[in-house]
Amino acid sequence: MNDSWENLIAGVKNRDIRAAARLITRVENRAPGWKEAMSRIYSRTGSARVIGITGSPGAGKSTLTCAMTKELISRGLTVGIIAIDPSSPFSGGALLGDRLRMKEIFETPGVFIRSMATRGMLGGLCQAARDVVRILDLFGKDIILVETVGVGQDEIEVVKTADLVMVVCMPGQGDGIQAIKAGVMEIADLYVVNKADMPGVDEAVADILAMLELSTETGKPSAPVLKTSALKNQGVKEVVTAFLDHRTDEDRRQAKAEIRAREEILSLLAQEVSGYILKQWENENRFCESVNQVLKKQKDPYAIVKEMTQRFNWS
Amino acid sequence: MNQGGKIRVLVAKPGLDGHERGAQVVAYGLRDAGFEVIYTGLRQTAEQIVSTAIQEDVDVVGLSILSGAHLSLTRKVMDGLKAQGADDILVIVGGIIPDPDIQKLKDMGVGEVFVSGTPVSAIAQYIASAVSTRKNAG
């Protein structure tokens, strides 16, 4: 298989699964030429609807994702899934286990599942996830579900890039709902209380409604709260209908799109600039040296950064 | 290997045996060795394994088999990968494998066989060197 960027992109357009998988790997690895490749496909993307799914660990996000996918497929839609799990900060490795709950759709035609590790890139996860969304979009997926654990700012940023954000809770969480509300509260378009076959479901719904009442943001329609039992396939149809029917009013959509475009340019720029400087630094072998100087208290980090940026006449 | 690229490994248990412990130990061990491990758990069909390996674009498929059906299950996975043009993916097998079958598995194209008792570090070392050799060759 000829792995040139051109061939891979052509393959994705022809709905070649292997080409899509490989293009994702290349872009995720930031192989030389990735930005040019993304630039080439950008104009052909934007037609897929992107749903961000977040919530605390164990709430049933993957099981729900699987159940929703089956429902979407039965409605004649194609689905791409990006399932994000954390990388270990110690080894850099990751255990990506979301597929454990999605076995039923491994071979379903029209479904493409990709597991993704956070890889500990500063702000990089967000961009990498956006890139994978675009590749799946080019691949022709109607709906793209981005699933991530609702802990850590980076991951919340990821779901924020979606057209619609779904927060999954479960009964008996109590303070768990409190814990995820920071940062998530403002971005949820839809709440789902999963495991509704367990006791305490009505209390969980009441908790969320009470929390929503406290929201002071004006002009935002309050997010619906739905109940599901993903394992028993109950309430899943209603959730799918809710997000397919969900329409953001035009002003809000525009505002969101503007913020997104702004954030994306800034994040690409920040990565580019810091990457460029760091590369020069490493070429001169100075990064390690600087770290040592800080450790030995010979220099401070402020002075080092100033020194490094001075040559660009910035400061 | 590409800059920032991680070795991706699918750890899967084909067939009907329900003993998951070994596969889990290997999955965690490989994560700790710095690999990205996709873990799909018990009772996978060859078709599920092949489709996962392709969508996830893994470098390595690790099959854990303790049922005694390693020859036929591995054959199915190898054939499936080949049918999809994905036989460049390295396949390794672990579990309870009788000595005489090790060569038979290798003849099918399996890269290495790790019988029970193998330290995970040995598997990690094998994967790291085999994948880098393959990438350089490709």
Side-chain angles (χ1 to χ4, degrees):
Chain A
M1 182 167 170
N2 183 342
D3 258 0
S4 70
W5 290 107
E6 201 168 316
N7 272 13
L8 289 178
I9 292 171
V12 177
K13 285 183 194 160
N14 289 329
R15 312 223 163 156
D16 174 347
I17 296 174
R18 201 127 207 251
R22 288 205 162 163
L23 186 60
I24 291 172
T25 306
R26 283 266 204 109
V27 168
E28 198 189 3
N29 286 349
R30 288 356 196 170
W34 75 271
K35 274 169 289 189
E36 291 74 13
M38 288 309 300
S39 211
R40 277 175 62 190
I41 69 173
Y42 183 86
S43 65
R44 307 198 45 149
T45 62
S47 46
R49 287 199 80 186
V50 186
I51 320 284
I53 303 163
T54 190
S56 39
K61 295 180 293 297
S62 303
T63 311
L64 185 63
T65 299
C66 178
M68 291 192 306
T69 300
K70 284 193 284 181
E71 176 64 23
L72 287 163
I73 290 288
S74 79
R75 297 188 192 196
L77 296 161
T78 56
V79 184
I81 299 171
I82 304 172
I84 302 174
D85 270 331
S87 296
S88 155
F90 304 105
S91 70
L95 192 60
L96 308 169
D98 290 314
R99 272 183 175 263
L100 268 173
R101 313 278 175 236
M102 301 183 188
K103 288 176 196 173
E104 287 171 68
I105 50 172
F106 280 6
E107 295 163 82
T108 307
V111 178
F112 184 101
I113 309 172
R114 182 64 175 227
S115 311
M116 215 176 149
T118 56
R119 295 198 179 176
M121 293 182 279
L122 257 181
L125 170 66
C126 216
Q127 191 57 46
R130 266 193 284 244
D131 298 336
V132 178
V133 163
R134 288 193 181 120
I135 295 170
L136 292 179
D137 189 339
L138 181 72
F139 188 49
K141 295 301 177 197
D142 301 312
I143 306 284
I144 299 168
L145 305 174
V146 183
E147 184 202 321
T148 182
V149 175
V151 290
Q153 197 54 39
D154 246 19
E155 295 173 57
I156 290 173
E157 294 296 321
V158 168
V159 286
K160 262 168 85 174
T161 66
D163 299 317
L164 179 144
V165 177
M166 187 190 291
V167 174
V168 185
C169 310
M170 62 177 166
Q173 251 185 329
D175 287 348
I177 292 172
Q178 299 292 320
I180 58 166
K181 80 178 175 186
V184 173
M185 180 74 191
E186 312 87 70
I187 57 164
D189 299 292
L190 180 66
Y191 285 90
V192 175
V193 178
N194 191 35
K195 308 193 184 182
D197 49 324
M198 284 184 15
V201 60
D202 292 328
E203 288 84 338
V205 171
D207 275 354
I208 296 167
L209 289 173
M211 199 174 75
L212 289 175
E213 269 178 22
L214 296 174
S215 172
T216 52
E217 195 190 349
T218 48
K220 188 190 173 189
S222 75
V225 183
L226 299 170
K227 295 186 271 190
T228 57
S229 170
L231 259 186
K232 297 184 176 170
N233 205 23
Q234 287 163 1
V236 177
K237 270 193 174 69
E238 289 76 2
V239 171
V240 168
T241 302
F243 74 62
L244 289 179
D245 288 351
H246 183 274
R247 290 286 173 273
T248 313
D249 74 83
E250 194 51 27
D251 287 354
R252 216 183 135 74
R253 207 186 55 77
Q254 289 268 358
K256 218 173 153 180
E258 192 191 317
I259 294 172
R260 265 199 247 171
R262 223 175 249 278
E263 280 179 354
E264 181 159 19
I265 295 169
L266 281 177
S267 90
L268 282 169
L269 183 68
Q271 278 177 64
E272 191 79 356
V273 171
S274 66
Y276 174 73
I277 295 178
L278 197 63
K279 207 167 139 194
Q280 290 214 323
W281 222 350
E282 276 170 349
N283 284 346
E284 296 168 25
N285 228 344
R286 282 189 51 194
F287 188 50
C288 289
E289 193 190 310
S290 300
V291 171
N292 275 326
Q293 286 171 330
V294 172
L295 290 176
K296 289 180 189 153
K297 301 207 190 276
Q298 290 165 345
K299 273 188 186 173
D300 65 83
Y302 309 97
I304 286 171
V305 170
K306 184 161 185 177
E307 211 177 294
M308 274 325 289
T309 50
Q310 230 156 19
R311 66 171 83 171
F312 302 100
N313 290 327
W314 281 349
S315 29
Chain B
M1 211 163 82
N2 291 320
Q3 194 187 358
K6 290 271 173 198
I7 294 177
R8 288 167 68 87
V9 185
L10 168 62
V11 174
K13 275 197 66 68
L16 294 176
D17 85 78
H19 303 282
E20 200 173 4
R21 194 70 193 148
Q24 286 175 343
V25 168
V26 170
Y28 278 100
L30 295 180
R31 177 199 64 182
D32 293 341
F35 302 143
E36 286 181 358
V37 181
I38 292 112
Y39 186 66
T40 53
L42 292 172
R43 296 187 193 92
Q44 297 283 287
T45 64
E47 291 78 10
Q48 286 177 319
I49 292 169
V50 169
S51 120
T52 299
I54 289 173
Q55 291 179 15
E56 299 284 359
D57 193 27
V58 294
D59 303 290
V60 183
V61 174
L63 303 173
S64 165
I65 312 171
L66 295 87
S67 62
H70 43 271
L71 290 176
S72 65
L73 291 171
T74 306
R75 163 68 63 201
K76 278 187 191 160
V77 172
M78 301 304 286
D79 288 349
L81 287 173
K82 196 163 196 175
Q84 300 288 326
D87 46 346
D88 55 318
I89 297 174
L90 172 64
V91 177
I92 57 177
V93 175
I96 302 170
I97 313 291
D99 274 350
D101 288 347
I102 293 177
Q103 193 53 47
K104 287 182 195 162
L105 288 169
K106 287 187 175 175
D107 291 343
M108 287 178 201
V110 169
E112 193 52 87
V113 177
F114 299 96
V115 294
S116 47
T118 311
V120 182
S121 57
I123 304 175
Q125 262 168 25
Y126 170 79
I127 290 174
S129 85
V131 169
S132 84
T133 312
R134 279 176 181 234
K135 283 193 173 164
N136 289 335

